[in-house]
Amino acid sequence: MQRRSFVAGTAVFAAGLAHLSSAQAAEAGVTDTEIVLGSSAVLSGPLGSQIKVVHNGAALAFDAINEQGGVGGRKIKLVALDDELKPEKAVENYGKLLNDHRVFAFFGCVGSGTTAAAAKLLQQSGAPSVGGYGVGDSARERVAGSAYFVRASNAREAQALVEHLSTIGVNKIAIAHLDNPGGVEAVKLIEAAMATHKQAPALVVSVKGDGSTSAAAGKMLADSQSQAVLMYLAGTVAGEVIKATYGAGSKPMFYGMSIVPGEVTAKVVQLQASGLAISQVTPYPWGEVESVTRDYRRLAERAQVPVGYGSFEGYLNALVMIEALKRTGRDLTRARLHATLRAFRLRLAGMDIDFSTGANAGSRFIEMVRVTPEGRFVR
């Protein structure tokens, strides 16, 4: 289903930023009737389906505000380009978005290596970036001052997962991670969290994002006889790894960082009794108490967008962007939006978001949920 808030395409390298004056940069992407945002993200392959869900969740919020006349009379348009999670492609996309599409700011960009590669372009343009997804902590530091991440840090997720396993007496732990910069960094964060409990991984196995090494990874995990497997895997890859581990005769407990899509995983593999638990960085999308959550579900059902953690995160990120634009006022400039974001505090769906401390992660929210064999989430 095509969402009207997004324009997808393939990037072609555009001219650099040298010809942009600071005045032009400040005015780019803002007219009397429109605010143009840009996103470089992986939108194809096994990982792309997950990101499209996040983007569709954001579109719910952008479409809703546009139906009400936009922000200060300006409707929001998001131009999204596929970078295939390749840093060089991401740099091309950022250049194209800045120079050809004349975006005012960035929203919902994805990936550690891709985000780090674009750090210089972000800094030179002065364009804020809000609501990045799947961006490791070190990449966040590379874009400090330019980017504002709503979700909790990977370090906090790793600590929460290891603390949980330690509490229930599990100490033989393996790690399965994507073979990319974010995955490598996640391993280091998990190892650091384990070290505080005087533990070390029983096995660390990398998995290619195209899923081609999932079977081999599953065999290695089974052979390690680990009690639990911590995963930094996305798209359908997590399910393929679990399926291969089961097929090799082992049924450990599986725990995922929040990039693991539980509902997708349950479609790929019939989860066994030991199941799958995930550290979620957004509140429960099926909650009844918060009006924001109820509004999200109503909009999702109307637009036929699946209700779940991925689309809910996109929706909440978009609400942060919308609120920041509102607070900045009619006289929109990149510098003014940065100033708004640096002082930004908001409670949203029961989650506190605060950039005023200088941290590049607005939220510290973590909640452990279990995925049922039917793909449902139980707190």
Side-chain angles (χ1 to χ4, degrees):
M1 175 175 176
Q2 187 174 359
R3 304 291 299 161
R4 64 178 180 273
S5 292
F6 292 86
V7 179
T10 304
V12 177
F13 186 71
L17 290 169
H19 71 284
L20 285 175
S21 69
S22 59
Q24 286 175 313
E27 297 169 357
V30 178
T31 69
D32 286 340
T33 60
E34 189 175 66
I35 301 168
V36 184
L37 307 178
S39 178
S40 182
V42 54
L43 300 173
S44 57
L47 306 183
S49 59
Q50 182 173 344
I51 302 307
K52 289 177 182 177
V53 169
V54 177
H55 276 191
N56 285 344
L60 298 175
F62 290 144
D63 285 351
I65 194 69
N66 286 345
E67 288 174 3
Q68 299 168 20
V71 178
R74 297 180 175 115
K75 294 188 177 182
I76 297 174
K77 173 185 177 182
L78 180 60
V79 181
L81 303 179
D82 185 10
D83 59 27
E84 303 173 31
L85 211 60
K86 297 177 180 177
E88 66 280 5
K89 190 76 168 177
V91 172
E92 293 178 4
N93 283 357
Y94 276 84
K96 186 181 178 83
L97 290 164
L98 286 165
N99 296 307
D100 292 0
H101 295 280
R102 305 286 291 155
V103 302
F104 173 63
F106 291 94
F107 173 85
C109 296
V110 176
S112 297
T114 47
T115 298
K120 187 175 181 180
L121 281 173
L122 275 175
Q123 184 178 30
Q124 288 178 333
S125 70
S129 181
V130 175
Y133 183 90
V135 181
D137 296 1
S138 63
R140 293 186 183 198
E141 290 302 319
R142 289 281 299 276
V143 292
S146 297
Y148 305 84
F149 301 91
V150 177
R151 58 168 32 227
S153 68
N154 286 348
R156 180 156 170 75
E157 279 198 69
Q159 291 160 4
L161 284 162
V162 171
E163 183 67 32
H164 171 77
L165 289 173
S166 177
T167 299
I168 64 175
V170 174
N171 51 35
K172 191 171 185 181
I173 303 167
I175 304 171
H177 67 95
L178 286 174
D179 184 16
N180 64 22
V184 172
E185 181 174 317
V187 171
K188 293 178 181 178
L189 295 173
I190 294 170
E191 288 177 334
M194 292 181 71
T196 64
H197 295 276
K198 295 181 171 55
Q199 298 174 7
L203 172 72
V204 176
V205 59
S206 65
V207 188
K208 291 190 178 298
D210 62 6
S212 60
T213 60
S214 296
K219 179 65 165 58
M220 293 173 66
L221 290 169
D223 291 345
S224 75
Q225 297 184 333
S226 297
Q227 296 169 281
V229 178
L230 292 187
M231 300 185 295
Y232 184 91
L233 302 172
T236 59
V237 178
E240 295 295 345
V241 169
I242 295 174
K243 182 191 292 186
T245 307
Y246 287 168
S250 179
K251 296 179 180 178
M253 295 179 285
F254 285 91
Y255 286 81
M257 297 183 76
S258 59
I259 71 163
V260 174
E263 59 271 62
V264 173
T265 302
K267 290 179 181 178
V268 174
V269 59
Q270 181 67 39
L271 294 169
Q272 302 299 307
S274 52
L276 168 65
I278 299 175
S279 59
Q280 300 291 359
V281 294
T282 58
Y284 193 62
W286 298 272
E288 293 292 344
V289 175
E290 300 288 340
S291 61
V292 168
T293 309
R294 296 195 302 271
D295 288 344
Y296 151 75
R297 288 201 307 275
R298 174 180 55 81
L299 292 169
E301 289 164 7
R302 185 183 73 174
Q304 297 183 339
V305 170
V307 172
Y309 281 99
S311 60
F312 193 37
E313 179 170 356
Y315 180 77
L316 294 177
N317 286 348
L319 290 184
V320 170
M321 174 60 90
I322 290 167
E323 181 63 22
L325 291 169
K326 286 180 177 178
R327 293 184 187 183
T328 303
R330 181 72 184 174
D331 186 13
L332 271 183
T333 67
R334 289 170 175 170
R336 286 176 181 270
L337 181 56
H338 270 300
T340 298
L341 286 163
R342 284 195 295 268
F344 192 91
R345 297 178 67 183
L346 179 68
R347 186 167 178 83
L348 198 58
M351 178 173 69
D352 290 316
I353 301 163
D354 186 358
F355 294 116
S356 67
T357 63
N360 57 17
S363 168
R364 290 177 54 81
F365 181 91
I366 299 285
E367 182 176 58
M368 206 71 65
V369 298
R370 185 160 292 280
V371 183
T372 69
E374 300 77 28
R376 297 178 180 177
F377 294 88
V378 180
R379 289 189 288 183

